[in-house]
Amino acid sequence: MQPFTVAAIVQVAVYATTGQVVLSTFYAVPVVLCAFVAPARALLDASRVVPLILCR
């Protein structure tokens, strides 16, 4: 194995891992946003519904 080949393999490995990290981040962002938005919406709905129930 020449040093150049080793360096190339290492570089490819680094690019691959960085690519995977970036991809997983892109996939994680909407999931996290949905996880936060869903309870927030539920709370908003509840805060709208509760006064209606109480005022009746």
Side-chain angles (χ1 to χ4, degrees):
M1 294 275 281
Q2 284 89 3
F4 175 75
T5 326
V6 176
I9 291 167
V10 168
Q11 207 169 14
V12 168
V14 168
Y15 277 126
T17 44
T18 338
Q20 280 197 322
V21 168
V22 171
L23 272 177
S24 51
T25 316
F26 272 122
Y27 282 120
V29 168
V31 172
V32 171
L33 281 177
C34 288
F36 279 112
V37 167
R41 278 197 174 168
L43 280 173
L44 274 174
D45 290 342
S47 64
R48 284 184 197 148
V49 170
V50 168
L52 287 175
I53 295 169
L54 291 176
C55 290
R56 277 185 182 172

